[in-house]
Amino acid sequence: MGSHMSGTIMRMTRTMMLEVLRQDYIRTAWSKGLRERTVILRHALKNAVIPVVTMVGIMIPMLIGGNVVMEQIFALPGMGRYLIDALNKRDYPVISGVNMVMASVILFVNLLIDLTYAYLDPRVKYK
């Protein structure tokens, strides 16, 4: 399940790194004599990862939804399979509980992504 998403993330990271490395502030950092490691990690990667973090935030709910389908297809035990079994039996408390757990995980991941924005982009400040 992750191989499809990892390919998208790798392509996006590569594209954004190539775009950021062409920026003026990167050339300025090179001309100041900073080491390659410093320029890449501190200046370029930090700015190139911002759109990638957004893509990861969008992909997490798809990964959880795909997990439900994958568990059903391959008869794997897990919350997705438990949800499908509860749907077939019309066990509403279990359906509500599993939905609440999955929604909580998605909300927690979105919170982490928003906090990551504040770390990566100095223009974003949370008060």
Side-chain angles (χ1 to χ4, degrees):
M1 285 176 26
S3 63
H4 170 62
M5 294 181 183
S6 66
T8 305
I9 291 170
M10 284 187 282
R11 282 188 69 168
M12 184 72 166
T13 304
R14 180 184 180 277
T15 303
M16 294 310 300
M17 275 297 287
L18 290 174
E19 185 177 320
V20 167
L21 286 174
R22 290 187 209 118
Q23 298 292 324
D24 290 336
Y25 66 92
I26 297 296
R27 271 183 278 172
T28 304
W30 285 111
S31 64
K32 284 170 50 176
L34 293 176
R35 293 187 329 208
E36 181 179 1
R37 181 181 176 103
T38 304
V39 172
I40 298 295
L41 292 179
R42 190 174 296 165
H43 296 286
L45 187 63
K46 200 170 183 184
N47 290 317
V49 169
I50 294 172
V52 176
V53 169
T54 303
M55 294 253 326
V56 169
I58 293 169
M59 288 180 176
I60 292 297
M62 290 189 300
L63 187 67
I64 291 174
N67 191 24
V68 173
V69 173
M70 197 68 75
E71 287 177 6
Q72 184 64 29
I73 290 172
F74 293 109
L76 299 171
M79 287 188 66
R81 176 82 183 228
Y82 189 50
L83 177 65
I84 298 294
D85 290 342
L87 284 169
N88 289 334
K89 295 176 185 174
R90 295 185 184 187
D91 191 1
Y92 297 117
V94 172
I95 295 169
S96 297
V98 172
N99 279 332
M100 191 168 76
V101 169
M102 289 182 180
S104 298
V105 168
I106 292 170
L107 285 173
F108 181 71
V109 168
N110 283 335
L111 174 67
L112 285 177
I113 288 170
D114 285 343
L115 294 175
T116 305
Y117 285 145
Y119 172 73
L120 293 174
D121 193 357
R123 296 173 294 180
V124 176
K125 295 289 181 198
Y126 296 117
K127 294 182 181 188

